[in-house]
Amino acid sequence: MYQVSIPRFVHMLDNLATILDKAQAYAEAKKIDAKVLPASRLFPDMLPLTSQVRIACDTAKRAAAMLAGVDNPVYEDNETTIPELKARVEKTIAFLNTIRPAQIDGTEGKEIVVKVGGQDTPFKGMQFLLARAIPNFYFHVATAYDILRHNGLDVGKKDFLGNTTAS
Amino acid sequence: MYQVSIPRFVHMLDNLATILDKAQAYAEAKKIDAKVLPASRLFPDMLPLTSQVRIACDTAKRAAAMLAGVDNPVYEDNETTIPELKARVEKTIAFLNTIRPAQIDGTEGKEIVVKVGGQDTPFKGMQFLLARAIPNFYFHVATAYDILRHNGLDVGKKDFLGNTTAS
């Protein structure tokens, strides 16, 4: 349970932080107003980059907190620039790094109750992690990448995957 | 190893098949030429929907075959329409469903050699699955979704996640 969650979340968020650094350098080089990329979307009724980054962070943070049985730190949703989004990613990584393997391992059968379609829905820990937290997490990290790529940022899948041999 | 791989790949590919059905219905209703959505991209030098679907399928198929130690079936890359892409997804699901838990469980330490940056690179089975196959798989499923969403398909994250309580 620990191996498939915390180190993976941390690694992908590290990659996302690096992609955000590249986005910031790109915006500065192109003189793109600081608010433009964070507000960018792939479709008008789809969430913007800001929300994609926040939800990626919050999905990892909440899964870690619920499985480990510790308080889920609340972060204010007040980021409007790329460096602020990167700070949220780094804050999330710092929290994830406080979780020890022994707090997550063995939670396969732990009851986790989350809202699904507005209803409190019980999950076993493994089902919650594999069927909800992980796909949700990757969805938002990939969509953050896709929004930036769609806006011309020169990144590739190796930026998304990061160093897979050492992670 | 089995729980984090085969059932997850099958579930997400099932969701992708349903999204492709909706894309086909949308293209027909809007009289969008059958070749348009499969060739759509988020940026000119990014891969089109066709490749995103193929690579999602092939990532799951290859990971399953390498971990289980069975032949990796080769599929011709000849799809040009949404129903053809859906057929590839279904063919991949059928292959994945031939893999039994005992073939995947216990492969955490199995040596898997894959090309990284053109170089043969050895991985342990768990590292290969968690650091390469799974992020790569989700990247392409999410990007397929994002391309269709960007092109106006009315889907939401519940289409991406599917039924998480029964999967």
mmCIF file of all heavy atoms in Angstrom, chain A residues 29-59:
data_model
loop_
_atom_site.group_PDB
_atom_site.id
_atom_site.type_symbol
_atom_site.label_atom_id
_atom_site.label_comp_id
_atom_site.label_asym_id
_atom_site.label_seq_id
_atom_site.Cartn_x
_atom_site.Cartn_y
_atom_site.Cartn_z
ATOM 1 N N ALA A 29 9.810 34.300 -20.634
ATOM 2 C CA ALA A 29 10.506 34.493 -21.922
ATOM 3 C C ALA A 29 9.560 35.050 -22.973
ATOM 4 O O ALA A 29 9.955 35.878 -23.800
ATOM 5 C CB ALA A 29 11.115 33.167 -22.386
ATOM 6 N N LYS A 30 8.316 34.604 -22.948
ATOM 7 C CA LYS A 30 7.328 35.022 -23.954
ATOM 8 C C LYS A 30 6.534 36.247 -23.503
ATOM 9 O O LYS A 30 5.590 36.638 -24.184
ATOM 10 C CB LYS A 30 6.332 33.869 -24.212
ATOM 11 C CG LYS A 30 6.936 32.669 -24.917
ATOM 12 C CD LYS A 30 6.870 32.862 -26.427
ATOM 13 C CE LYS A 30 7.283 31.583 -27.141
ATOM 14 N NZ LYS A 30 7.346 31.792 -28.602
ATOM 15 N N LYS A 31 6.878 36.751 -22.316
ATOM 16 C CA LYS A 31 6.134 37.888 -21.736
ATOM 17 C C LYS A 31 4.627 37.606 -21.686
ATOM 18 O O LYS A 31 3.796 38.447 -22.037
ATOM 19 C CB LYS A 31 6.414 39.186 -22.499
ATOM 20 C CG LYS A 31 7.913 39.544 -22.553
ATOM 21 C CD LYS A 31 8.132 40.990 -22.912
ATOM 22 C CE LYS A 31 9.585 41.324 -23.246
ATOM 23 N NZ LYS A 31 10.596 40.614 -22.433
ATOM 24 N N ILE A 32 4.296 36.388 -21.254
ATOM 25 C CA ILE A 32 2.891 36.011 -21.054
ATOM 26 C C ILE A 32 2.499 36.488 -19.651
ATOM 27 O O ILE A 32 3.217 36.203 -18.682
ATOM 28 C CB ILE A 32 2.719 34.470 -21.163
ATOM 29 C CG1 ILE A 32 3.112 33.983 -22.566
ATOM 30 C CG2 ILE A 32 1.290 34.048 -20.801
ATOM 31 C CD1 ILE A 32 3.252 32.469 -22.695
ATOM 32 N N ASP A 33 1.426 37.209 -19.556
ATOM 33 C CA ASP A 33 0.969 37.704 -18.249
ATOM 34 C C ASP A 33 0.887 36.543 -17.242
ATOM 35 O O ASP A 33 0.424 35.445 -17.584
ATOM 36 C CB ASP A 33 -0.407 38.374 -18.404
ATOM 37 C CG ASP A 33 -0.905 38.961 -17.099
ATOM 38 O OD1 ASP A 33 -1.543 38.208 -16.315
ATOM 39 O OD2 ASP A 33 -0.628 40.143 -16.839
ATOM 40 N N ALA A 34 1.314 36.822 -16.008
ATOM 41 C CA ALA A 34 1.431 35.775 -14.981
ATOM 42 C C ALA A 34 0.117 35.049 -14.688
ATOM 43 O O ALA A 34 0.118 33.913 -14.202
ATOM 44 C CB ALA A 34 1.981 36.372 -13.686
ATOM 45 N N LYS A 35 -1.008 35.688 -14.993
ATOM 46 C CA LYS A 35 -2.306 35.066 -14.695
ATOM 47 C C LYS A 35 -2.824 34.172 -15.829
ATOM 48 O O LYS A 35 -3.820 33.478 -15.647
ATOM 49 C CB LYS A 35 -3.378 36.151 -14.446
ATOM 50 C CG LYS A 35 -3.054 37.155 -13.348
ATOM 51 C CD LYS A 35 -3.284 36.584 -11.978
ATOM 52 C CE LYS A 35 -3.209 37.633 -10.870
ATOM 53 N NZ LYS A 35 -1.838 38.128 -10.621
ATOM 54 N N VAL A 36 -2.180 34.240 -16.990
ATOM 55 C CA VAL A 36 -2.757 33.557 -18.161
ATOM 56 C C VAL A 36 -2.663 32.031 -18.070
ATOM 57 O O VAL A 36 -3.683 31.334 -18.175
ATOM 58 C CB VAL A 36 -2.117 34.072 -19.476
ATOM 59 C CG1 VAL A 36 -2.533 33.193 -20.658
ATOM 60 C CG2 VAL A 36 -2.553 35.519 -19.727
ATOM 61 N N LEU A 37 -1.470 31.502 -17.882
ATOM 62 C CA LEU A 37 -1.357 30.031 -17.846
ATOM 63 C C LEU A 37 -2.151 29.418 -16.686
ATOM 64 O O LEU A 37 -2.866 28.428 -16.900
ATOM 65 C CB LEU A 37 0.108 29.581 -17.820
ATOM 66 C CG LEU A 37 0.904 29.827 -19.110
ATOM 67 C CD1 LEU A 37 2.362 29.406 -18.924
ATOM 68 C CD2 LEU A 37 0.294 29.081 -20.305
ATOM 69 N N PRO A 38 -2.097 29.972 -15.468
ATOM 70 C CA PRO A 38 -2.893 29.367 -14.384
ATOM 71 C C PRO A 38 -4.386 29.320 -14.690
ATOM 72 O O PRO A 38 -5.092 28.448 -14.198
ATOM 73 C CB PRO A 38 -2.613 30.280 -13.183
ATOM 74 C CG PRO A 38 -1.257 30.846 -13.462
ATOM 75 C CD PRO A 38 -1.213 31.038 -14.959
ATOM 76 N N ALA A 39 -4.878 30.258 -15.501
ATOM 77 C CA ALA A 39 -6.316 30.297 -15.823
ATOM 78 C C ALA A 39 -6.652 29.538 -17.105
ATOM 79 O O ALA A 39 -7.821 29.504 -17.505
ATOM 80 C CB ALA A 39 -6.766 31.753 -15.946
ATOM 81 N N SER A 40 -5.662 28.923 -17.729
ATOM 82 C CA SER A 40 -5.911 28.249 -19.018
ATOM 83 C C SER A 40 -6.668 26.940 -18.833
ATOM 84 O O SER A 40 -6.503 26.232 -17.839
ATOM 85 C CB SER A 40 -4.584 27.959 -19.720
ATOM 86 O OG SER A 40 -3.987 29.172 -20.111
ATOM 87 N N ARG A 41 -7.482 26.631 -19.828
ATOM 88 C CA ARG A 41 -8.353 25.441 -19.820
ATOM 89 C C ARG A 41 -8.297 24.785 -21.192
ATOM 90 O O ARG A 41 -8.011 25.449 -22.187
ATOM 91 C CB ARG A 41 -9.815 25.860 -19.611
ATOM 92 C CG ARG A 41 -10.094 26.664 -18.394
ATOM 93 C CD ARG A 41 -11.492 27.290 -18.462
ATOM 94 N NE ARG A 41 -11.671 28.280 -17.412
ATOM 95 C CZ ARG A 41 -12.279 28.040 -16.244
ATOM 96 N NH1 ARG A 41 -12.809 26.858 -16.012
ATOM 97 N NH2 ARG A 41 -12.374 28.969 -15.326
ATOM 98 N N LEU A 42 -8.697 23.517 -21.241
ATOM 99 C CA LEU A 42 -8.799 22.825 -22.527
ATOM 100 C C LEU A 42 -10.170 22.999 -23.166
ATOM 101 O O LEU A 42 -10.353 22.691 -24.339
ATOM 102 C CB LEU A 42 -8.512 21.325 -22.354
ATOM 103 C CG LEU A 42 -7.064 20.972 -22.012
ATOM 104 C CD1 LEU A 42 -6.937 19.474 -21.741
ATOM 105 C CD2 LEU A 42 -6.103 21.390 -23.114
ATOM 106 N N PHE A 43 -11.143 23.443 -22.354
ATOM 107 C CA PHE A 43 -12.495 23.692 -22.858
ATOM 108 C C PHE A 43 -13.157 24.615 -21.844
ATOM 109 O O PHE A 43 -12.849 24.551 -20.655
ATOM 110 C CB PHE A 43 -13.266 22.364 -22.990
ATOM 111 C CG PHE A 43 -14.435 22.435 -23.934
ATOM 112 C CD1 PHE A 43 -14.235 22.585 -25.299
ATOM 113 C CD2 PHE A 43 -15.739 22.366 -23.457
ATOM 114 C CE1 PHE A 43 -15.308 22.661 -26.179
ATOM 115 C CE2 PHE A 43 -16.822 22.431 -24.327
ATOM 116 C CZ PHE A 43 -16.601 22.583 -25.697
ATOM 117 N N PRO A 44 -14.091 25.477 -22.305
ATOM 118 C CA PRO A 44 -14.591 26.509 -21.383
ATOM 119 C C PRO A 44 -15.171 25.989 -20.071
ATOM 120 O O PRO A 44 -15.034 26.641 -19.035
ATOM 121 C CB PRO A 44 -15.669 27.225 -22.224
ATOM 122 C CG PRO A 44 -15.210 27.043 -23.631
ATOM 123 C CD PRO A 44 -14.591 25.676 -23.672
ATOM 124 N N ASP A 45 -15.824 24.809 -20.096
ATOM 125 C CA ASP A 45 -16.409 24.323 -18.839
ATOM 126 C C ASP A 45 -15.543 23.266 -18.152
ATOM 127 O O ASP A 45 -16.019 22.514 -17.301
ATOM 128 C CB ASP A 45 -17.849 23.807 -19.059
ATOM 129 C CG ASP A 45 -17.896 22.512 -19.837
ATOM 130 O OD1 ASP A 45 -16.845 22.072 -20.358
ATOM 131 O OD2 ASP A 45 -18.982 21.919 -19.937
ATOM 132 N N MET A 46 -14.265 23.237 -18.511
ATOM 133 C CA MET A 46 -13.327 22.326 -17.858
ATOM 134 C C MET A 46 -12.504 23.158 -16.870
ATOM 135 O O MET A 46 -12.336 24.365 -17.064
ATOM 136 C CB MET A 46 -12.440 21.697 -18.936
ATOM 137 C CG MET A 46 -11.778 20.402 -18.518
ATOM 138 S SD MET A 46 -10.907 19.647 -19.930
ATOM 139 C CE MET A 46 -10.112 18.279 -19.083
ATOM 140 N N LEU A 47 -12.005 22.541 -15.820
ATOM 141 C CA LEU A 47 -11.263 23.294 -14.800
ATOM 142 C C LEU A 47 -9.924 23.799 -15.341
ATOM 143 O O LEU A 47 -9.283 23.130 -16.148
ATOM 144 C CB LEU A 47 -11.037 22.414 -13.564
ATOM 145 C CG LEU A 47 -12.305 22.046 -12.784
ATOM 146 C CD1 LEU A 47 -11.990 20.981 -11.733
ATOM 147 C CD2 LEU A 47 -12.911 23.278 -12.116
ATOM 148 N N PRO A 48 -9.499 24.975 -14.865
ATOM 149 C CA PRO A 48 -8.231 25.547 -15.340
ATOM 150 C C PRO A 48 -7.016 24.875 -14.684
ATOM 151 O O PRO A 48 -7.168 24.103 -13.734
ATOM 152 C CB PRO A 48 -8.333 27.003 -14.901
ATOM 153 C CG PRO A 48 -9.168 26.958 -13.661
ATOM 154 C CD PRO A 48 -10.168 25.839 -13.888
ATOM 155 N N LEU A 49 -5.860 25.241 -15.165
ATOM 156 C CA LEU A 49 -4.603 24.683 -14.639
ATOM 157 C C LEU A 49 -4.543 24.769 -13.113
ATOM 158 O O LEU A 49 -4.143 23.806 -12.452
ATOM 159 C CB LEU A 49 -3.412 25.444 -15.251
ATOM 160 C CG LEU A 49 -2.040 24.995 -14.745
ATOM 161 C CD1 LEU A 49 -1.737 23.563 -15.182
ATOM 162 C CD2 LEU A 49 -0.949 25.934 -15.244
ATOM 163 N N THR A 50 -4.922 25.923 -12.573
ATOM 164 C CA THR A 50 -4.881 26.106 -11.115
ATOM 165 C C THR A 50 -5.610 24.977 -10.399
ATOM 166 O O THR A 50 -5.076 24.380 -9.462
ATOM 167 C CB THR A 50 -5.543 27.459 -10.764
ATOM 168 O OG1 THR A 50 -4.838 28.475 -11.470
ATOM 169 C CG2 THR A 50 -5.486 27.746 -9.289
ATOM 170 N N SER A 51 -6.824 24.681 -10.846
ATOM 171 C CA SER A 51 -7.600 23.625 -10.191
ATOM 172 C C SER A 51 -6.989 22.253 -10.430
ATOM 173 O O SER A 51 -7.039 21.387 -9.550
ATOM 174 C CB SER A 51 -9.039 23.627 -10.722
ATOM 175 O OG SER A 51 -9.628 24.880 -10.504
ATOM 176 N N GLN A 52 -6.458 22.039 -11.610
ATOM 177 C CA GLN A 52 -5.854 20.727 -11.889
ATOM 178 C C GLN A 52 -4.707 20.468 -10.911
ATOM 179 O O GLN A 52 -4.582 19.367 -10.364
ATOM 180 C CB GLN A 52 -5.330 20.663 -13.340
ATOM 181 C CG GLN A 52 -6.373 20.956 -14.419
ATOM 182 C CD GLN A 52 -7.523 19.952 -14.494
ATOM 183 O OE1 GLN A 52 -7.437 18.846 -13.954
ATOM 184 N NE2 GLN A 52 -8.612 20.348 -15.147
ATOM 185 N N VAL A 53 -3.885 21.493 -10.686
ATOM 186 C CA VAL A 53 -2.742 21.326 -9.769
ATOM 187 C C VAL A 53 -3.243 21.150 -8.334
ATOM 188 O O VAL A 53 -2.781 20.255 -7.613
ATOM 189 C CB VAL A 53 -1.777 22.531 -9.876
ATOM 190 C CG1 VAL A 53 -0.686 22.452 -8.807
ATOM 191 C CG2 VAL A 53 -1.153 22.590 -11.267
ATOM 192 N N ARG A 54 -4.202 21.967 -7.943
ATOM 193 C CA ARG A 54 -4.735 21.841 -6.572
ATOM 194 C C ARG A 54 -5.336 20.465 -6.329
ATOM 195 O O ARG A 54 -5.110 19.852 -5.283
ATOM 196 C CB ARG A 54 -5.847 22.875 -6.342
ATOM 197 C CG ARG A 54 -5.354 24.262 -6.113
ATOM 198 C CD ARG A 54 -6.564 25.190 -5.933
ATOM 199 N NE ARG A 54 -6.141 26.582 -5.963
ATOM 200 C CZ ARG A 54 -6.924 27.578 -6.342
ATOM 201 N NH1 ARG A 54 -8.168 27.347 -6.742
ATOM 202 N NH2 ARG A 54 -6.466 28.812 -6.341
ATOM 203 N N ILE A 55 -6.141 19.984 -7.274
ATOM 204 C CA ILE A 55 -6.823 18.702 -7.053
ATOM 205 C C ILE A 55 -5.819 17.542 -7.073
ATOM 206 O O ILE A 55 -5.958 16.595 -6.309
ATOM 207 C CB ILE A 55 -7.976 18.499 -8.065
ATOM 208 C CG1 ILE A 55 -8.994 19.646 -7.947
ATOM 209 C CG2 ILE A 55 -8.685 17.157 -7.813
ATOM 210 C CD1 ILE A 55 -10.077 19.642 -9.033
ATOM 211 N N ALA A 56 -4.807 17.646 -7.934
ATOM 212 C CA ALA A 56 -3.753 16.614 -7.906
ATOM 213 C C ALA A 56 -3.132 16.565 -6.508
ATOM 214 O O ALA A 56 -3.011 15.494 -5.900
ATOM 215 C CB ALA A 56 -2.683 16.907 -8.965
ATOM 216 N N CYS A 57 -2.761 17.732 -5.988
ATOM 217 C CA CYS A 57 -2.162 17.804 -4.641
ATOM 218 C C CYS A 57 -3.131 17.256 -3.596
ATOM 219 O O CYS A 57 -2.759 16.439 -2.745
ATOM 220 C CB CYS A 57 -1.833 19.252 -4.284
ATOM 221 S SG CYS A 57 -0.449 19.939 -5.218
ATOM 222 N N ASP A 58 -4.377 17.712 -3.655
ATOM 223 C CA ASP A 58 -5.338 17.370 -2.613
ATOM 224 C C ASP A 58 -5.731 15.900 -2.650
ATOM 225 O O ASP A 58 -6.028 15.301 -1.609
ATOM 226 C CB ASP A 58 -6.584 18.265 -2.722
ATOM 227 C CG ASP A 58 -6.268 19.702 -2.291
ATOM 228 O OD1 ASP A 58 -5.106 19.971 -1.922
ATOM 229 O OD2 ASP A 58 -7.176 20.541 -2.334
ATOM 230 N N THR A 59 -5.737 15.314 -3.840
ATOM 231 C CA THR A 59 -6.053 13.884 -3.954
ATOM 232 C C THR A 59 -4.974 13.052 -3.264
ATOM 233 O O THR A 59 -5.277 12.116 -2.510
ATOM 234 C CB THR A 59 -6.168 13.488 -5.441
ATOM 235 O OG1 THR A 59 -7.203 14.274 -6.038
ATOM 236 C CG2 THR A 59 -6.502 12.021 -5.604
#
